[in-house]
Amino acid sequence: MKSLSLYVEKNSFVHQIDPITKLFYIVFAILVPIIWPNIIVSAVCAFVSIMFLVLGKVFKNSLPVFGFVSFVLLTVVVIQGLFGVDNKVIAFKIIGLTFYKEGLMNALAIVFRVLNIVASFLILVLTTKPSDLVEDLVRKGLSPRIGYVILSVFQIIPQMMSTVNTITDAQKSRGMETEGNLLVRMRAFIPLMGPVVLNSFINTKERAMALEVRAFGSKTKRTFLNELKHYKFSLPIRLTMLIILVGVVIGRILL
């Protein structure tokens, strides 16, 4: 059965890092460029985050996300390069459009920050089982209800994709055209999306009933099916992030 999550099963150093530490890394990766808003710092953070994806053997799986993000970031580069409020020095001209150095540098800083944030989230999503993440959070005191919401968020995209593929195959078997020019695809949109939305409502109702049958709303103390895992890399990584963060704060104050 296909997993209803974006998690990629691999044997890597990154997979062996506990989920809570990966959450800390997301916060760390976001805070460092904010505390020290320097284009070099942002570039280094983006490089480190992407290298974690490479070390986790999931960089290939992250390419579709980066492809979509890159398309959005391209518009940022164009807008900032042409119309940035600080634009003064001309960088180059192309097909009658004038790009300015200040705008392009600002855009480049934004690009590095966004890539860093996206990569840091992908590290968590692609190398962590949603069930492990939620279980660790619940062990730390998180409400099981919030844990269930988090687990559902991780599963909703692959579940919707699986449902769309199933319904598309079913509609094709009935002779409906789903491939071709834009008009054909637009005509097929409602017959495809209607069952997807209805199926989502049905699944939500069935999940709610299943949770109540399993005493999800019970106030009694819960036990865990899996034993508490011990991760040998957690403490060194957290200490390293803390030291770097303190160093960034001190460096920002002094410089």
Side-chain angles (χ1 to χ4, degrees):
M1 181 178 177
K2 188 175 179 181
S3 175
L4 292 177
S5 75
L6 299 177
Y7 170 73
V8 180
E9 184 74 44
K10 297 283 184 180
N11 182 20
S12 73
F13 157 74
V14 182
H15 283 73
Q16 296 175 24
I17 301 173
D18 68 288
I20 304 299
T21 299
K22 292 174 186 175
L23 284 175
F24 284 155
Y25 178 77
I26 293 174
V27 177
F28 168 81
I30 294 173
L31 283 180
V32 170
I34 292 176
I35 296 173
W36 198 333
N38 181 283
I39 189 170
I40 297 177
V41 174
S42 299
V44 171
C45 290
F47 175 77
V48 171
S49 295
I50 292 173
M51 283 306 301
F52 272 123
L53 291 174
V54 174
L55 292 174
K57 303 176 183 178
V58 293
F59 180 72
K60 182 179 179 181
N61 302 87
S62 68
L63 289 179
V65 178
F66 282 125
F68 173 76
V69 172
S70 298
F71 175 77
V72 177
L73 291 177
L74 181 62
T75 62
V76 174
V77 173
V78 173
I79 293 173
Q80 287 289 329
L82 292 174
F83 310 112
V85 293
D86 298 323
N87 287 352
K88 293 179 181 179
V89 181
I90 296 176
F92 59 87
K93 294 183 179 181
I94 183 171
I95 58 173
L97 299 176
T98 302
F99 287 85
Y100 294 85
K101 179 181 177 181
E102 293 82 2
L104 291 175
M105 294 302 293
N106 289 335
L108 193 59
I110 294 172
V111 168
F112 286 137
R113 291 175 188 173
V114 172
L115 290 178
N116 175 45
I117 294 172
V118 172
S120 63
F121 274 98
L122 287 175
I123 291 170
L124 175 68
V125 172
L126 296 177
T127 67
T128 306
K129 291 182 179 179
S131 57
D132 289 345
L133 171 62
V134 172
E135 185 170 310
D136 278 12
L137 290 173
V138 173
R139 286 182 187 275
K140 298 294 183 181
L142 182 73
S143 167
R145 293 181 181 275
I146 299 177
Y148 173 72
V149 172
I150 295 174
L151 188 62
S152 299
V153 170
F154 274 93
Q155 293 180 344
I156 190 169
I157 296 177
Q159 186 177 34
M160 290 287 285
M161 291 173 60
S162 177
T163 302
V164 169
N165 290 335
T166 301
I167 293 174
T168 300
D169 291 340
Q171 299 289 42
K172 283 182 179 179
S173 68
R174 295 182 177 92
M176 188 181 77
E177 294 185 19
T178 59
E179 298 178 357
N181 57 39
L182 180 61
L183 184 61
V184 172
R185 293 176 180 270
M186 289 178 62
R187 193 182 303 127
F189 180 78
I190 295 179
L192 289 177
M193 288 300 102
V196 170
V197 174
L198 291 175
N199 187 268
S200 298
F201 286 134
I202 293 172
N203 286 339
T204 300
K205 181 179 179 180
E206 290 178 349
R207 284 193 179 194
M209 294 173 62
L211 288 173
E212 289 305 318
V213 169
R214 292 174 173 83
F216 183 75
S218 174
K219 302 297 183 181
T220 58
K221 185 178 180 180
R222 289 175 169 81
T223 58
F224 296 91
L225 176 64
N226 301 315
E227 294 183 3
L228 180 62
K229 297 180 182 179
H230 297 282
Y231 301 88
K232 57 183 179 180
F233 301 113
S234 300
L235 184 58
I237 292 175
R238 293 184 188 183
L239 287 176
T240 301
M241 288 191 292
L242 180 60
I243 292 171
I244 293 174
L245 191 59
V246 171
V248 169
V249 173
I250 295 174
R252 176 63 174 164
I253 293 173
L254 296 178
L255 299 178

